[in-house]
Amino acid sequence: EFEQAVLPSASQLTFSKFDQKARMVRERMDAATIAERHQKSLADRETWFEPGRDGMGWTHLYHSATVALAAHNRADSIARDLQGPNEERTLTQLRADVMADLLLEGVVGDRPEFGIRPSVVVTVPVLAMLGHSAHKNSAANGGPDLPILEGYGPIDIETATKLAGAAKSWLRVLTHPETGATLSVGRDKYKVPAALRAFLQRRDGTCRKPGCNRPAARCDIDHTQEWQNGGQTAHDNLAHLCPMHHDEKHHTGVTITHLPNGDLEWTLPSGHTYISEPANRLPTIHDLGFDAA
């Protein structure tokens, strides 16, 4: 059953995207034991040192995805704030230096303000929070609707419920499979409304260029058919693209086609086509009512 669900995507997705999809399907197919499996694995949390060549080495942290991701996001956020015209280090080098400073000194240089934690986004199906664990998502998702930790994937409902009621640094997004959402404002507005932006971020998950894993939160929202050429501000004409692939789309011969199931078909100047699947196949305008105001 698992192979039947994932193998059709093997010829269309890059390794990293296929790995994400397979992990998502696996968790949904075995959703009944996700909390038990997480607690068992959490007991194995550890950190270890691995020596490298040329006087280098790695420090590894194996922990709950929520903790490990929050730690990474904190280092990434601080590193980005440190970037500037007088900073010679790359973003990758800055992340490493920030994490070392925090572990060794508790602060980054002489900047104590970097003790603030960045947001971590967890999307929680409201029916699951209310105890309706038997609720089924669409058949394409292969099983029960599970909470999604942005940047990681499915997590157990107990952990998600704790996060949904935790400190202000956690952004809670509640979804309901039968309520409306702002999916289009047509030609009335160029700017993407907040509700539609949230829908697109939840749907896309990452940059929609095949093979790119930059989180949607750090991408641009692009009008596939450009606004000045009659394109609408609608879910089926909008997609997240990172700055590099946004430029590629506008300054090369690449064309993008939105397919009815949420996929994007990329056609390169060479004629080759590639499919970009959304992180989550959400109900579309044909399934939900929406407020276009």
Side-chain angles (χ1 to χ4, degrees):
E1 183 181 0
F2 173 76
E3 290 180 349
Q4 291 177 352
V6 300
L7 284 181
S9 300
S11 63
Q12 300 176 345
L13 303 181
T14 62
F15 175 83
S16 59
K17 290 287 187 180
F18 180 72
D19 181 65
Q20 293 173 14
K21 180 181 178 68
R23 181 156 47 87
M24 183 85 70
V25 172
R26 173 188 180 268
E27 296 294 3
R28 282 182 166 139
M29 285 186 169
D30 197 16
T33 66
I34 188 171
E36 179 183 347
R37 288 185 285 113
H38 174 64
Q39 288 303 314
K40 183 178 182 299
S41 296
L42 188 60
D44 297 327
R45 61 191 181 276
E46 62 173 318
T47 181
W48 69 95
F49 173 74
E50 179 184 350
R53 297 180 178 178
D54 306 319
M56 304 295 288
W58 289 267
T59 295
H60 300 272
L61 173 67
Y62 179 65
H63 211 294
S64 167
T66 57
V67 171
L69 184 61
H72 171 80
N73 285 355
R74 183 182 184 190
D76 180 74
S77 177
I78 296 173
R80 291 178 184 279
D81 284 339
L82 290 173
Q83 286 184 305
N86 298 321
E87 177 55 69
E88 297 181 354
R89 290 173 292 180
T90 66
L91 181 59
T92 300
Q93 292 170 337
L94 282 168
R95 287 195 198 101
D97 291 346
V98 164
M99 197 163 285
D101 284 347
L102 290 174
L103 286 170
L104 294 173
E105 306 293 340
V107 296
V108 178
D110 58 354
R111 306 284 294 276
E113 70 272 21
F114 287 133
I116 300 174
R117 295 179 182 273
S119 294
V120 174
V121 180
V122 58
T123 302
V124 187
V126 70
L127 291 185
M129 287 190 70
L130 294 175
H132 298 280
S133 59
H135 168 64
K136 297 292 184 180
N137 202 350
S138 65
N141 284 331
D145 216 355
L146 291 171
I148 301 296
L149 178 65
E150 184 177 295
Y152 174 74
I155 58 176
D156 63 282
I157 186 63
E158 287 81 1
T159 299
T161 302
K162 290 177 182 178
L163 297 181
K168 294 180 180 179
S169 60
W170 297 97
L171 173 62
R172 284 85 68 191
V173 182
L174 300 181
T175 62
H176 193 294
E178 296 172 356
T179 57
T182 302
L183 298 180
S184 173
V185 291
R187 293 286 298 169
D188 294 337
K189 295 180 181 179
Y190 172 80
K191 185 177 180 180
V192 181
L196 179 53
R197 183 180 294 270
F199 174 92
L200 295 169
Q201 186 169 324
R202 170 81 170 98
R203 181 196 70 184
D204 292 344
T206 65
C207 170
R208 293 299 300 275
K209 173 65 185 287
C212 183
N213 291 316
R214 173 168 289 200
R218 300 209 308 267
C219 294
D220 307 325
I221 297 182
D222 172 65
H223 286 72
T224 302
Q225 181 183 357
E226 296 183 22
W227 172 263
Q228 60 267 30
N229 295 330
Q232 297 195 17
T233 303
H235 74 99
D236 53 0
N237 190 50
L238 296 168
H240 283 87
L241 297 178
C242 70
M244 180 176 71
H245 293 130
H246 195 172
D247 287 343
E248 176 189 349
K249 181 251 184 180
H250 283 288
H251 297 108
T252 68
V254 169
T255 60
I256 302 175
T257 303
H258 284 253
L259 303 181
N261 63 353
D263 289 353
L264 298 185
E265 183 181 69
W266 288 68
T267 303
L268 305 186
S270 63
H272 289 87
T273 60
Y274 298 90
I275 295 295
S276 165
E277 295 185 358
N280 298 284
R281 296 193 187 280
L282 300 181
T284 68
I285 195 169
H286 303 294
D287 307 309
L288 297 173
F290 66 92
D291 175 14

